[in-house]
Amino acid sequence: GQYANDINLQYALFESDNGACSGNLTQVFFSSNSTTGFDEEAVVSCLNPNTTYFLGVDGSATSSNLIEGFFGLEISDSGATSAGDLPCDAADFGLIPDNGMVTLTNQSNLCASHLFFEPFTIGFVSQRSVYYTFTVPSSGHVIIDGVSDPTGVSPVGLQFAVFNSLNGNCNGVFSQIDFAYTFMDLNETLVLQCLEPETELYLLVDGDGTNTAGIFDLTISDGGPILPQ
């Protein structure tokens, strides 16, 4: 028959119980977003590595002349790194260099959860928290900057809380030093002063109630000496 050029795309992702097309297929993801026109773009997270998945592509029945057509298809690795879901799995920034900075890009809390024994946060309710450690530079002054997904595909409304461990271990009692959460935009900045140099601290990163999980970049920099007032 005659095919139209346009198709209003939708797709579903399936996993087989035996890893082959002969197995029982279970749907693990579906996308049909009318706000993006006829195209579809989505981030599928928390898939099992080294696993074969099956992608079914279809046209939406919202309009009879857009069910069949021609389309292009691209599947790419987002490159996002899943950060530690618990303090003892925290990714380490290491010692923040004097007059320098350390950046971790393409970080993700998409596969994170919140367990009842995680540190209690003051300033916001933790929902999908991930953890980092860093060591304070000699100035005792650090600036933590977070930028929500620069591509805009998987945004997250960033929230920060910084803790120290009373016994210096990841499974110790945590005491919150400060937090940052401003709801005006997705990015976040936290400035900390008068910290004890060469102390290892824990950074909790979470997403707000609207954009709870996504991809982000983090930079921790030395704020330099604090001048007398």
Side-chain angles (χ1 to χ4, degrees), residues 130-161:
V130 291
Y131 293 86
Y132 300 84
T133 57
F134 65 93
T135 302
V136 178
S138 61
S139 68
H141 180 195
V142 298
I143 302 169
I144 304 171
D145 288 307
V147 178
S148 177
D149 185 7
T151 68
V153 175
S154 187
V156 55
L158 290 169
Q159 301 170 314
F160 295 155

PDB file of all heavy atoms in Angstrom, residues 130-161:
ATOM      1  N   VAL A 130      22.508  10.148  46.316  1.00  0.00           N
ATOM      2  CA  VAL A 130      23.791   9.519  46.001  1.00  0.00           C
ATOM      3  C   VAL A 130      24.879  10.278  46.757  1.00  0.00           C
ATOM      4  O   VAL A 130      24.684  11.424  47.184  1.00  0.00           O
ATOM      5  CB  VAL A 130      24.078   9.508  44.492  1.00  0.00           C
ATOM      6  CG1 VAL A 130      23.125   8.568  43.766  1.00  0.00           C
ATOM      7  CG2 VAL A 130      23.998  10.911  43.902  1.00  0.00           C
ATOM      8  N   TYR A 131      26.053   9.639  46.913  1.00  0.00           N
ATOM      9  CA  TYR A 131      27.061  10.154  47.829  1.00  0.00           C
ATOM     10  C   TYR A 131      28.428  10.309  47.175  1.00  0.00           C
ATOM     11  O   TYR A 131      28.819   9.534  46.294  1.00  0.00           O
ATOM     12  CB  TYR A 131      27.191   9.212  49.036  1.00  0.00           C
ATOM     13  CG  TYR A 131      25.960   9.190  49.892  1.00  0.00           C
ATOM     14  CD1 TYR A 131      24.901   8.331  49.599  1.00  0.00           C
ATOM     15  CD2 TYR A 131      25.836  10.046  50.984  1.00  0.00           C
ATOM     16  CE1 TYR A 131      23.765   8.321  50.379  1.00  0.00           C
ATOM     17  CE2 TYR A 131      24.692  10.039  51.768  1.00  0.00           C
ATOM     18  CZ  TYR A 131      23.662   9.179  51.460  1.00  0.00           C
ATOM     19  OH  TYR A 131      22.523   9.178  52.219  1.00  0.00           O
ATOM     20  N   TYR A 132      29.131  11.342  47.667  1.00  0.00           N
ATOM     21  CA  TYR A 132      30.509  11.632  47.261  1.00  0.00           C
ATOM     22  C   TYR A 132      31.302  11.990  48.518  1.00  0.00           C
ATOM     23  O   TYR A 132      30.728  12.448  49.513  1.00  0.00           O
ATOM     24  CB  TYR A 132      30.561  12.802  46.279  1.00  0.00           C
ATOM     25  CG  TYR A 132      29.779  12.567  45.011  1.00  0.00           C
ATOM     26  CD1 TYR A 132      28.407  12.811  44.965  1.00  0.00           C
ATOM     27  CD2 TYR A 132      30.408  12.085  43.871  1.00  0.00           C
ATOM     28  CE1 TYR A 132      27.685  12.571  43.812  1.00  0.00           C
ATOM     29  CE2 TYR A 132      29.689  11.853  42.707  1.00  0.00           C
ATOM     30  CZ  TYR A 132      28.324  12.092  42.687  1.00  0.00           C
ATOM     31  OH  TYR A 132      27.610  11.854  41.538  1.00  0.00           O
ATOM     32  N   THR A 133      32.613  11.784  48.458  1.00  0.00           N
ATOM     33  CA  THR A 133      33.498  12.272  49.505  1.00  0.00           C
ATOM     34  C   THR A 133      34.496  13.252  48.899  1.00  0.00           C
ATOM     35  O   THR A 133      34.824  13.181  47.715  1.00  0.00           O
ATOM     36  CB  THR A 133      34.259  11.126  50.190  1.00  0.00           C
ATOM     37  OG1 THR A 133      34.999  10.396  49.206  1.00  0.00           O
ATOM     38  CG2 THR A 133      33.315  10.196  50.917  1.00  0.00           C
ATOM     39  N   PHE A 134      34.963  14.178  49.729  1.00  0.00           N
ATOM     40  CA  PHE A 134      36.044  15.077  49.322  1.00  0.00           C
ATOM     41  C   PHE A 134      36.834  15.464  50.558  1.00  0.00           C
ATOM     42  O   PHE A 134      36.327  15.396  51.694  1.00  0.00           O
ATOM     43  CB  PHE A 134      35.509  16.326  48.614  1.00  0.00           C
ATOM     44  CG  PHE A 134      34.677  17.233  49.470  1.00  0.00           C
ATOM     45  CD1 PHE A 134      35.255  18.311  50.143  1.00  0.00           C
ATOM     46  CD2 PHE A 134      33.308  17.038  49.603  1.00  0.00           C
ATOM     47  CE1 PHE A 134      34.484  19.164  50.935  1.00  0.00           C
ATOM     48  CE2 PHE A 134      32.531  17.877  50.390  1.00  0.00           C
ATOM     49  CZ  PHE A 134      33.124  18.947  51.065  1.00  0.00           C
ATOM     50  N   THR A 135      38.081  15.841  50.352  1.00  0.00           N
ATOM     51  CA  THR A 135      38.951  16.251  51.449  1.00  0.00           C
ATOM     52  C   THR A 135      39.190  17.745  51.364  1.00  0.00           C
ATOM     53  O   THR A 135      39.524  18.276  50.293  1.00  0.00           O
ATOM     54  CB  THR A 135      40.283  15.477  51.410  1.00  0.00           C
ATOM     55  OG1 THR A 135      39.988  14.069  51.489  1.00  0.00           O
ATOM     56  CG2 THR A 135      41.175  15.861  52.568  1.00  0.00           C
ATOM     57  N   VAL A 136      39.011  18.433  52.477  1.00  0.00           N
ATOM     58  CA  VAL A 136      39.032  19.897  52.548  1.00  0.00           C
ATOM     59  C   VAL A 136      40.456  20.422  52.275  1.00  0.00           C
ATOM     60  O   VAL A 136      41.427  19.908  52.836  1.00  0.00           O
ATOM     61  CB  VAL A 136      38.552  20.352  53.943  1.00  0.00           C
ATOM     62  CG1 VAL A 136      38.608  21.871  54.067  1.00  0.00           C
ATOM     63  CG2 VAL A 136      37.144  19.829  54.217  1.00  0.00           C
ATOM     64  N   PRO A 137      40.583  21.457  51.430  1.00  0.00           N
ATOM     65  CA  PRO A 137      41.898  22.059  51.186  1.00  0.00           C
ATOM     66  C   PRO A 137      42.366  22.886  52.385  1.00  0.00           C
ATOM     67  O   PRO A 137      41.623  23.078  53.359  1.00  0.00           O
ATOM     68  CB  PRO A 137      41.649  22.938  49.959  1.00  0.00           C
ATOM     69  CG  PRO A 137      40.205  23.317  50.058  1.00  0.00           C
ATOM     70  CD  PRO A 137      39.519  22.109  50.638  1.00  0.00           C
ATOM     71  N   SER A 138      43.586  23.402  52.303  1.00  0.00           N
ATOM     72  CA  SER A 138      44.187  24.107  53.448  1.00  0.00           C
ATOM     73  C   SER A 138      43.439  25.373  53.818  1.00  0.00           C
ATOM     74  O   SER A 138      43.507  25.835  54.963  1.00  0.00           O
ATOM     75  CB  SER A 138      45.651  24.435  53.143  1.00  0.00           C
ATOM     76  OG  SER A 138      45.757  25.284  52.015  1.00  0.00           O
ATOM     77  N   SER A 139      42.699  25.973  52.876  1.00  0.00           N
ATOM     78  CA  SER A 139      41.945  27.198  53.171  1.00  0.00           C
ATOM     79  C   SER A 139      40.734  26.937  54.056  1.00  0.00           C
ATOM     80  O   SER A 139      40.195  27.861  54.672  1.00  0.00           O
ATOM     81  CB  SER A 139      41.490  27.860  51.866  1.00  0.00           C
ATOM     82  OG  SER A 139      40.516  27.061  51.217  1.00  0.00           O
ATOM     83  N   GLY A 140      40.247  25.694  54.089  1.00  0.00           N
ATOM     84  CA  GLY A 140      39.010  25.395  54.809  1.00  0.00           C
ATOM     85  C   GLY A 140      37.773  25.984  54.161  1.00  0.00           C
ATOM     86  O   GLY A 140      36.712  26.055  54.788  1.00  0.00           O
ATOM     87  N   HIS A 141      37.879  26.344  52.897  1.00  0.00           N
ATOM     88  CA  HIS A 141      36.826  27.081  52.189  1.00  0.00           C
ATOM     89  C   HIS A 141      36.584  26.395  50.847  1.00  0.00           C
ATOM     90  O   HIS A 141      37.488  26.352  49.998  1.00  0.00           O
ATOM     91  CB  HIS A 141      37.285  28.538  51.994  1.00  0.00           C
ATOM     92  CG  HIS A 141      36.315  29.409  51.276  1.00  0.00           C
ATOM     93  ND1 HIS A 141      36.677  30.642  50.749  1.00  0.00           N
ATOM     94  CD2 HIS A 141      34.997  29.270  50.999  1.00  0.00           C
ATOM     95  CE1 HIS A 141      35.636  31.200  50.179  1.00  0.00           C
ATOM     96  NE2 HIS A 141      34.603  30.391  50.318  1.00  0.00           N
ATOM     97  N   VAL A 142      35.405  25.827  50.645  1.00  0.00           N
ATOM     98  CA  VAL A 142      35.107  25.143  49.387  1.00  0.00           C
ATOM     99  C   VAL A 142      33.801  25.658  48.793  1.00  0.00           C
ATOM    100  O   VAL A 142      32.916  26.146  49.507  1.00  0.00           O
ATOM    101  CB  VAL A 142      35.026  23.611  49.563  1.00  0.00           C
ATOM    102  CG1 VAL A 142      36.350  23.037  50.042  1.00  0.00           C
ATOM    103  CG2 VAL A 142      33.892  23.214  50.479  1.00  0.00           C
ATOM    104  N   ILE A 143      33.714  25.528  47.485  1.00  0.00           N
ATOM    105  CA  ILE A 143      32.503  25.890  46.741  1.00  0.00           C
ATOM    106  C   ILE A 143      32.089  24.664  45.941  1.00  0.00           C
ATOM    107  O   ILE A 143      32.881  24.119  45.168  1.00  0.00           O
ATOM    108  CB  ILE A 143      32.762  27.082  45.795  1.00  0.00           C
ATOM    109  CG1 ILE A 143      33.268  28.284  46.590  1.00  0.00           C
ATOM    110  CG2 ILE A 143      31.492  27.430  45.027  1.00  0.00           C
ATOM    111  CD1 ILE A 143      33.795  29.407  45.712  1.00  0.00           C
ATOM    112  N   ILE A 144      30.861  24.225  46.142  1.00  0.00           N
ATOM    113  CA  ILE A 144      30.319  23.060  45.437  1.00  0.00           C
ATOM    114  C   ILE A 144      29.295  23.556  44.427  1.00  0.00           C
ATOM    115  O   ILE A 144      28.304  24.191  44.803  1.00  0.00           O
ATOM    116  CB  ILE A 144      29.672  22.071  46.419  1.00  0.00           C
ATOM    117  CG1 ILE A 144      30.679  21.643  47.495  1.00  0.00           C
ATOM    118  CG2 ILE A 144      29.126  20.856  45.674  1.00  0.00           C
ATOM    119  CD1 ILE A 144      30.056  20.834  48.621  1.00  0.00           C
ATOM    120  N   ASP A 145      29.532  23.283  43.166  1.00  0.00           N
ATOM    121  CA  ASP A 145      28.626  23.687  42.088  1.00  0.00           C
ATOM    122  C   ASP A 145      28.069  22.456  41.396  1.00  0.00           C
ATOM    123  O   ASP A 145      28.820  21.533  41.038  1.00  0.00           O
ATOM    124  CB  ASP A 145      29.356  24.550  41.050  1.00  0.00           C
ATOM    125  CG  ASP A 145      29.670  25.938  41.547  1.00  0.00           C
ATOM    126  OD1 ASP A 145      28.735  26.619  42.008  1.00  0.00           O
ATOM    127  OD2 ASP A 145      30.841  26.343  41.498  1.00  0.00           O
ATOM    128  N   GLY A 146      26.766  22.448  41.196  1.00  0.00           N
ATOM    129  CA  GLY A 146      26.105  21.377  40.460  1.00  0.00           C
ATOM    130  C   GLY A 146      25.317  21.946  39.299  1.00  0.00           C
ATOM    131  O   GLY A 146      24.601  22.933  39.448  1.00  0.00           O
ATOM    132  N   VAL A 147      25.459  21.328  38.123  1.00  0.00           N
ATOM    133  CA  VAL A 147      24.753  21.763  36.922  1.00  0.00           C
ATOM    134  C   VAL A 147      23.889  20.612  36.434  1.00  0.00           C
ATOM    135  O   VAL A 147      24.396  19.518  36.133  1.00  0.00           O
ATOM    136  CB  VAL A 147      25.735  22.202  35.819  1.00  0.00           C
ATOM    137  CG1 VAL A 147      24.973  22.617  34.559  1.00  0.00           C
ATOM    138  CG2 VAL A 147      26.609  23.347  36.309  1.00  0.00           C
ATOM    139  N   SER A 148      22.575  20.832  36.376  1.00  0.00           N
ATOM    140  CA  SER A 148      21.663  19.827  35.858  1.00  0.00           C
ATOM    141  C   SER A 148      21.978  19.531  34.395  1.00  0.00           C
ATOM    142  O   SER A 148      22.531  20.375  33.684  1.00  0.00           O
ATOM    143  CB  SER A 148      20.222  20.318  36.006  1.00  0.00           C
ATOM    144  OG  SER A 148      19.303  19.397  35.450  1.00  0.00           O
ATOM    145  N   ASP A 149      21.632  18.345  33.955  1.00  0.00           N
ATOM    146  CA  ASP A 149      21.962  17.831  32.627  1.00  0.00           C
ATOM    147  C   ASP A 149      22.078  18.936  31.577  1.00  0.00           C
ATOM    148  O   ASP A 149      21.077  19.521  31.163  1.00  0.00           O
ATOM    149  CB  ASP A 149      20.897  16.831  32.193  1.00  0.00           C
ATOM    150  CG  ASP A 149      21.234  16.162  30.871  1.00  0.00           C
ATOM    151  OD1 ASP A 149      22.348  16.365  30.357  1.00  0.00           O
ATOM    152  OD2 ASP A 149      20.377  15.421  30.354  1.00  0.00           O
ATOM    153  N   PRO A 150      23.308  19.246  31.124  1.00  0.00           N
ATOM    154  CA  PRO A 150      23.482  20.330  30.142  1.00  0.00           C
ATOM    155  C   PRO A 150      22.747  20.078  28.837  1.00  0.00           C
ATOM    156  O   PRO A 150      22.419  21.019  28.116  1.00  0.00           O
ATOM    157  CB  PRO A 150      25.009  20.366  29.931  1.00  0.00           C
ATOM    158  CG  PRO A 150      25.587  19.756  31.162  1.00  0.00           C
ATOM    159  CD  PRO A 150      24.600  18.697  31.579  1.00  0.00           C
ATOM    160  N   THR A 151      22.464  18.802  28.503  1.00  0.00           N
ATOM    161  CA  THR A 151      21.756  18.509  27.259  1.00  0.00           C
ATOM    162  C   THR A 151      20.253  18.712  27.398  1.00  0.00           C
ATOM    163  O   THR A 151      19.545  18.782  26.393  1.00  0.00           O
ATOM    164  CB  THR A 151      22.007  17.053  26.830  1.00  0.00           C
ATOM    165  OG1 THR A 151      21.367  16.151  27.753  1.00  0.00           O
ATOM    166  CG2 THR A 151      23.501  16.745  26.789  1.00  0.00           C
ATOM    167  N   GLY A 152      19.756  18.773  28.647  1.00  0.00           N
ATOM    168  CA  GLY A 152      18.333  18.955  28.877  1.00  0.00           C
ATOM    169  C   GLY A 152      17.501  17.698  28.718  1.00  0.00           C
ATOM    170  O   GLY A 152      16.282  17.731  28.896  1.00  0.00           O
ATOM    171  N   VAL A 153      18.125  16.554  28.407  1.00  0.00           N
ATOM    172  CA  VAL A 153      17.382  15.318  28.182  1.00  0.00           C
ATOM    173  C   VAL A 153      16.900  14.711  29.495  1.00  0.00           C
ATOM    174  O   VAL A 153      15.780  14.205  29.590  1.00  0.00           O
ATOM    175  CB  VAL A 153      18.253  14.297  27.415  1.00  0.00           C
ATOM    176  CG1 VAL A 153      17.533  12.952  27.292  1.00  0.00           C
ATOM    177  CG2 VAL A 153      18.601  14.841  26.036  1.00  0.00           C
ATOM    178  N   SER A 154      17.748  14.774  30.543  1.00  0.00           N
ATOM    179  CA  SER A 154      17.398  14.144  31.827  1.00  0.00           C
ATOM    180  C   SER A 154      17.693  15.110  32.971  1.00  0.00           C
ATOM    181  O   SER A 154      18.646  14.937  33.729  1.00  0.00           O
ATOM    182  CB  SER A 154      18.186  12.841  31.992  1.00  0.00           C
ATOM    183  OG  SER A 154      17.765  12.143  33.129  1.00  0.00           O
ATOM    184  N   PRO A 155      16.868  16.159  33.133  1.00  0.00           N
ATOM    185  CA  PRO A 155      17.137  17.180  34.150  1.00  0.00           C
ATOM    186  C   PRO A 155      16.853  16.690  35.565  1.00  0.00           C
ATOM    187  O   PRO A 155      16.035  15.792  35.776  1.00  0.00           O
ATOM    188  CB  PRO A 155      16.176  18.312  33.765  1.00  0.00           C
ATOM    189  CG  PRO A 155      15.037  17.601  33.106  1.00  0.00           C
ATOM    190  CD  PRO A 155      15.647  16.442  32.364  1.00  0.00           C
ATOM    191  N   VAL A 156      17.537  17.307  36.530  1.00  0.00           N
ATOM    192  CA  VAL A 156      17.322  16.988  37.934  1.00  0.00           C
ATOM    193  C   VAL A 156      17.388  18.288  38.733  1.00  0.00           C
ATOM    194  O   VAL A 156      18.251  19.137  38.487  1.00  0.00           O
ATOM    195  CB  VAL A 156      18.358  15.960  38.444  1.00  0.00           C
ATOM    196  CG1 VAL A 156      19.778  16.421  38.195  1.00  0.00           C
ATOM    197  CG2 VAL A 156      18.145  15.654  39.918  1.00  0.00           C
ATOM    198  N   GLY A 157      16.461  18.481  39.658  1.00  0.00           N
ATOM    199  CA  GLY A 157      16.448  19.660  40.521  1.00  0.00           C
ATOM    200  C   GLY A 157      17.370  19.434  41.707  1.00  0.00           C
ATOM    201  O   GLY A 157      16.968  18.883  42.724  1.00  0.00           O
ATOM    202  N   LEU A 158      18.613  19.862  41.593  1.00  0.00           N
ATOM    203  CA  LEU A 158      19.667  19.469  42.521  1.00  0.00           C
ATOM    204  C   LEU A 158      19.458  19.988  43.946  1.00  0.00           C
ATOM    205  O   LEU A 158      19.000  21.117  44.157  1.00  0.00           O
ATOM    206  CB  LEU A 158      21.023  19.935  41.998  1.00  0.00           C
ATOM    207  CG  LEU A 158      21.516  19.181  40.765  1.00  0.00           C
ATOM    208  CD1 LEU A 158      22.725  19.891  40.147  1.00  0.00           C
ATOM    209  CD2 LEU A 158      21.877  17.736  41.109  1.00  0.00           C
ATOM    210  N   GLN A 159      19.820  19.141  44.894  1.00  0.00           N
ATOM    211  CA  GLN A 159      19.823  19.464  46.319  1.00  0.00           C
ATOM    212  C   GLN A 159      21.123  18.903  46.911  1.00  0.00           C
ATOM    213  O   GLN A 159      21.524  17.785  46.574  1.00  0.00           O
ATOM    214  CB  GLN A 159      18.625  18.820  47.025  1.00  0.00           C
ATOM    215  CG  GLN A 159      17.276  19.239  46.475  1.00  0.00           C
ATOM    216  CD  GLN A 159      16.137  18.402  47.049  1.00  0.00           C
ATOM    217  OE1 GLN A 159      16.219  17.184  47.120  1.00  0.00           O
ATOM    218  NE2 GLN A 159      15.058  19.057  47.451  1.00  0.00           N
ATOM    219  N   PHE A 160      21.762  19.667  47.786  1.00  0.00           N
ATOM    220  CA  PHE A 160      23.023  19.247  48.404  1.00  0.00           C
ATOM    221  C   PHE A 160      22.886  19.222  49.929  1.00  0.00           C
ATOM    222  O   PHE A 160      22.234  20.088  50.527  1.00  0.00           O
ATOM    223  CB  PHE A 160      24.162  20.216  48.081  1.00  0.00           C
ATOM    224  CG  PHE A 160      24.559  20.296  46.639  1.00  0.00           C
ATOM    225  CD1 PHE A 160      25.159  21.448  46.146  1.00  0.00           C
ATOM    226  CD2 PHE A 160      24.352  19.240  45.768  1.00  0.00           C
ATOM    227  CE1 PHE A 160      25.548  21.537  44.823  1.00  0.00           C
ATOM    228  CE2 PHE A 160      24.723  19.327  44.438  1.00  0.00           C
ATOM    229  CZ  PHE A 160      25.331  20.481  43.966  1.00  0.00           C
ATOM    230  N   ALA A 161      23.554  18.263  50.551  1.00  0.00           N
ATOM    231  CA  ALA A 161      23.776  18.276  51.995  1.00  0.00           C
ATOM    232  C   ALA A 161      25.183  17.739  52.242  1.00  0.00           C
ATOM    233  O   ALA A 161      25.602  16.766  51.605  1.00  0.00           O
ATOM    234  CB  ALA A 161      22.745  17.428  52.728  1.00  0.00           C
TER     235      ALA A 161
END
